[in-house]
Amino acid sequence: MIALDTVKQGVVYNPPCGRLGEVKTPPWRDRIRAENELLEQLEDRAEQARKRRAEALKDGAAELGSVYAVAKDQELSWTAVAKAIKKYTTE
């Protein structure tokens, strides 16, 4: 049962905790190792996204008839589109 002095305007106040545990930060070497692993995963995912994007740009060029048309449609430079297709697709 809640004591009346702990309830004010429909809000219940919790009494303070007797003990608070100390949060321990991992050693710096472990933190660096973890961040390096995360960066590697992010770089891998970004590379995969670049390849999928280049394939989509290539499909757009086939559909619209040219790299220039894709660039105009996507508001990109035609050189950026052409370089992405060349660099990240196998053809």
Side-chain angles (χ1 to χ4, degrees), residues 46-63:
E47 184 70 12
Q48 292 168 2
R50 286 184 199 101
K51 289 177 182 179
R52 290 190 305 270
R53 179 178 178 268
E55 286 294 332
L57 291 169
K58 184 177 174 182
D59 292 345
E63 181 181 312

Side-chain angles (χ1 to χ4, degrees), residues 11-75:
V11 178
V12 177
Y13 295 94
N14 290 329
C17 297
R19 292 186 198 187
L20 292 176
E22 185 178 324
V23 177
K24 295 188 180 184
T25 303
W28 65 270
R29 285 185 176 90
D30 292 341
R31 295 191 332 256
I32 290 172
R33 188 176 305 112
E35 295 304 328
N36 284 341
E37 289 172 9
L38 178 59
L39 286 170
E40 187 175 319
Q41 291 171 8
L42 291 171
E43 288 169 2
D44 289 344
R45 293 192 65 179
E47 184 70 12
Q48 292 168 2
R50 286 184 199 101
K51 289 177 182 179
R52 290 190 305 270
R53 179 178 178 268
E55 286 294 332
L57 291 169
K58 184 177 174 182
D59 292 345
E63 181 181 312
L64 298 179
S66 71
V67 169
Y68 302 102
V70 173
K72 184 176 179 182
D73 181 78
Q74 294 298 302
E75 298 179 357

